[in-house]
Amino acid sequence: MRNVVIIGSGPAGLTAAVYAARANLSPLLIEGWQAGGQLTTTTEVENYPGFSKGIMGPELMKEMRAQAERFGTAFQTGDATAVDLQTRPFKVIVDDEKTLSTRTLIIATGASPITLGLPNEKRLWGHGVSSCATCDGFFFKDKELAVVGGGDSAMEEATFLTKFATKVSVIHRRDKLRASKIMQDRAMKNEKITFVWNSMVEDVLGQDVVTGVRIRNVVTGKVWDLSCAGLFLAIGHRPNTALFTGQLKMNELGYLLTSHGTATSIPGVFAAGDVQDVRYRQAVTAAGTGCMAAIDAERFLEASGHG
């Protein structure tokens, strides 16, 4: 029987582990076969507090894990494949075989960026291909960039990138945007932003870093290469919540709904990080909610006589 089980090993899960361990709750963290979350696919992180010279994403996650382990967090390598939140204690099944019992559960399974599914896109991820302008835009000062998407997120990313880039090409597969009028107007009035209509990216070009993208016009069939130093995907994120379908309340996009801090629709189950964050999706905000979830779990346990 565990007091706290944490699913997810990104900034939210590991911060929750640090706080829960320091509260003598002996947490167990299920870190998955691909541990570390989205930051393990990021190169240099310069906007996480405490690292004046920046730190590589994988190194930051390694340090966070070591810190959680130092205070007594136990780690389970493997994927959570099923949960039963209808009975108490809660049950978490790892790799379809090992069953864990816990009085509280912290869900920090994150969200995954929706990608184009191109081989070179995956190969060059973190080397010019990104899904976060706020994270990576700074590295492209005085460069030409491309953004894929036509919604509010794409307009927001493109507008933000003009702070650094000399030119931002927005590639959209239709001839009009899905974005709200105010976001469209803002982007269209920006002299650094151009629009590539009725087009889709067929390939990402470059050996070690992105040097351009191959574009196909879906109306004419014309294929051509656009030179750019970075490709930013703004076609959405998919929260990793399939495990909890039918058991926890979610919004229409599949993000877990929380209230009073990090509480989900089932008392004793808490959610932290991108799995419940539609808006910010930053490492530091994920870590912040991880801290909140651990404190919420601790107070829940105290109230139920297990603190």
Side-chain angles (χ1 to χ4, degrees), residues 95-228:
D95 292 337
D96 294 320
E97 53 184 34
K98 183 172 183 177
T99 301
L100 305 171
S101 298
T102 182
R103 295 185 176 99
T104 65
L105 179 67
I106 295 175
I107 299 166
T109 47
S112 303
I114 298 171
T115 63
L116 301 172
L118 306 172
N120 285 330
E121 166 194 38
K122 186 175 182 180
R123 181 176 63 81
L124 290 167
W125 196 273
H127 298 277
V129 180
S130 172
S131 64
C132 182
T134 312
C135 312
D136 299 326
F138 179 80
F139 300 113
F140 296 94
K141 283 186 174 180
D142 302 322
K143 306 283 188 182
E144 293 188 5
L145 300 173
V147 172
V148 178
D152 278 359
S153 293
M155 297 309 101
E156 193 173 342
E157 298 270 285
T159 302
F160 179 84
L161 289 170
T162 60
K163 294 180 179 182
F164 311 102
T166 55
K167 177 184 175 183
V168 177
S169 299
V170 176
I171 304 164
H172 187 43
R173 59 186 173 180
R174 298 185 179 90
D175 60 359
K176 55 186 176 183
L177 300 168
R178 292 179 290 104
S180 59
K181 191 172 187 311
I182 188 169
M183 293 301 291
Q184 288 190 44
D185 290 346
R186 190 175 298 165
M188 288 179 173
K189 287 176 182 174
N190 192 312
E191 293 180 352
K192 288 187 176 182
I193 297 176
T194 61
F195 291 87
V196 183
W197 302 109
N198 296 316
S199 297
M200 58 190 296
V201 176
E202 286 214 323
D203 202 0
V204 185
L205 309 176
Q207 191 59 44
D208 300 316
V209 296
V210 171
T211 57
V213 290
R214 184 154 294 154
I215 294 173
R216 178 169 64 84
N217 187 297
V218 297
V219 176
T220 65
K222 179 187 174 184
V223 177
W224 57 288
D225 293 347
L226 172 71
S227 177
C228 62

Side-chain angles (χ1 to χ4, degrees), residues 207-260:
Q207 191 59 44
D208 300 316
V209 296
V210 171
T211 57
V213 290
R214 184 154 294 154
I215 294 173
R216 178 169 64 84
N217 187 297
V218 297
V219 176
T220 65
K222 179 187 174 184
V223 177
W224 57 288
D225 293 347
L226 172 71
S227 177
C228 62
L231 174 66
F232 286 79
L233 306 180
I235 50 179
H237 282 71
R238 187 178 291 111
N240 302 322
T241 53
L243 201 58
F244 314 104
T245 302
Q247 298 193 67
L248 293 172
K249 287 183 180 177
M250 306 176 186
N251 70 7
E252 67 279 2
L253 299 174
Y255 288 83
L256 295 180
L257 294 175
T258 54
S259 61
H260 303 97

Side-chain angles (χ1 to χ4, degrees), residues 242-300:
L243 201 58
F244 314 104
T245 302
Q247 298 193 67
L248 293 172
K249 287 183 180 177
M250 306 176 186
N251 70 7
E252 67 279 2
L253 299 174
Y255 288 83
L256 295 180
L257 294 175
T258 54
S259 61
H260 303 97
T262 62
T264 68
S265 53
I266 294 180
V269 180
F270 306 93
D274 289 10
V275 76
Q276 52 83 57
D277 177 11
V278 183
R279 185 169 185 178
Y280 299 104
R281 291 194 293 266
Q282 299 298 304
V284 68
T285 52
T289 53
C291 161
M292 292 161 59
I295 293 173
D296 289 343
E298 180 186 6
R299 289 174 180 170
F300 177 88

Side-chain angles (χ1 to χ4, degrees), residues 55-74:
I55 184 171
M56 300 300 282
E59 184 66 21
L60 177 59
M61 301 321 300
K62 182 181 172 185
E63 286 293 323
M64 280 192 180
R65 189 188 189 281
Q67 187 177 10
E69 192 170 34
R70 173 188 160 206
F71 293 118
T73 300

